[in-house]
Amino acid sequence: MQVEIWSDVMCPFCYIGKRHFETALEKFADNPQVEVIWKSFQLDPSLPEKEELDHEQYLVTRKGLPKDQVKSLLEHVTQSAKQAGLDYHFEKVVTVNSFNAHRVIQMAKTKGLGTVAEERLFKAYFTEGCDIADRNTLIELGKDIGLSAEEVQEALSNEIYAEKVNRDMNEAQQIGVRGVPFFVLDRKYAVSGAQPPEVFTQTLDKVFAEWRAKNPGSPFGISDGESCTPDGSCG
């Protein structure tokens, strides 16, 4: 069963939502049957690749929020992140365009590293204060998750990866995604926002039961005994 997640690495609630979903998925008995697919989404495509404003100034100037409200909002989000086991440092955040980061994620997905890439880039952005638009920084972050420098450079230069990012964003628009994180389960049910783990648990149970009814797997009842598998293990 597929779970598609539209997300932006500069979205604080996307990281929190990721952790809440993972908490639910870890306890889900049939989690090996769940395939997670990350989808690109940009909250602000107009941001430059070079930082012009720190994060607080960005929210005040570009989003038109009162300064006191911004301070209160960032404190609230920091506490919400802490409750999810995450360490946010908004004073370190480098507020830049996330498109390059999404290109790298698209490359990582071709290597089965989509979830690893999301986690590394979220941490880089919210905890470490890395510049996720900078190519040299992305090369080093790519190496952390198992990509070569050449693969990251390919992601940043080959337009096929830009097209993949744009395709995800166009798809989000078509299905009515207005904000992220946005979780789509089996193309039938959606969970919007960083919902508590129990909401994801309830939705996984419901959707998977319907999915399993249509995809019963093996028709046999299996009584397990000692056997050998193709990987060479016997027992």
Side-chain angles (χ1 to χ4, degrees):
M1 185 186 79
Q2 290 186 345
V3 177
E4 298 160 289
I5 308 172
W6 272 266
S7 170
D8 192 355
V9 292
M10 66 173 292
C11 165
F13 289 109
C14 288
Y15 198 7
I16 296 169
K18 176 180 183 294
R19 196 58 91 244
H20 286 176
F21 174 73
E22 289 170 339
T23 297
L25 188 60
E26 184 177 352
K27 298 176 181 178
F28 184 60
D30 292 293
N31 65 61
Q33 301 295 319
V34 177
E35 178 188 9
V36 176
I37 301 173
W38 290 94
K39 299 277 193 170
S40 296
F41 189 97
Q42 279 198 288
L43 288 172
D44 189 351
S46 70
L47 268 172
E49 285 193 15
K50 296 294 183 182
E51 185 179 46
E52 297 177 347
L53 302 168
D54 67 30
H55 201 65
E56 186 175 312
Q57 292 170 334
Y58 164 75
L59 292 173
V60 171
T61 303
R62 297 284 291 267
K63 299 301 182 182
L65 300 175
K67 191 170 184 178
D68 289 346
Q69 183 180 340
V70 167
K71 287 183 177 295
S72 177
L73 172 64
L74 295 181
E75 289 173 3
H76 168 71
V77 175
T78 299
Q79 288 304 311
S80 296
K82 186 175 293 185
Q83 291 172 6
L86 303 172
D87 189 21
Y88 280 11
H89 292 279
F90 283 106
E91 74 282 2
K92 293 182 181 180
V93 165
V94 181
T95 309
V96 288
N97 195 292
S98 62
F99 196 83
N100 283 345
H102 282 294
R103 292 176 73 142
V104 174
I105 291 169
Q106 293 291 345
M107 164 62 82
K109 285 167 61 177
T110 69
K111 308 293 181 181
L113 298 170
T115 297
V116 179
E118 290 279 349
E119 179 68 26
R120 185 67 190 95
L121 284 162
F122 274 132
K123 185 177 181 181
Y125 187 78
F126 287 107
T127 302
E128 300 170 351
C130 293
D131 184 344
I132 61 167
D134 179 73
R135 292 173 179 247
N136 290 328
T137 300
L138 288 170
I139 287 172
E140 293 307 311
L141 294 173
K143 289 179 181 177
D144 288 348
I145 66 172
L147 296 177
S148 67
E150 292 74 20
E151 287 170 331
V152 176
Q153 289 168 342
E154 172 76 4
L156 297 173
S157 61
N158 191 326
E159 284 306 301
I160 190 173
Y161 297 100
E163 290 170 8
K164 288 175 181 287
V165 175
N166 288 323
R167 191 179 306 135
D168 282 354
M169 292 195 290
N170 289 336
E171 187 178 16
Q173 187 174 21
Q174 291 168 7
I175 66 174
V177 179
R178 295 291 177 262
V180 287
F182 195 82
F183 303 77
V184 176
L185 293 81
D186 196 31
R187 283 284 163 148
K188 294 176 64 178
Y189 294 89
V191 175
S192 179
Q195 300 281 0
E198 53 267 26
V199 172
F200 289 113
T201 297
Q202 293 166 4
T203 309
L204 280 167
D205 287 340
K206 175 180 176 61
V207 181
F208 187 81
E210 295 180 10
W211 179 86
R212 175 54 80 199
K214 294 181 179 179
N215 301 271
S218 173
F220 307 111
I222 301 175
S223 178
D224 290 323
E226 292 183 328
S227 61
C228 291
T229 60
D231 63 6
S233 61
C234 295

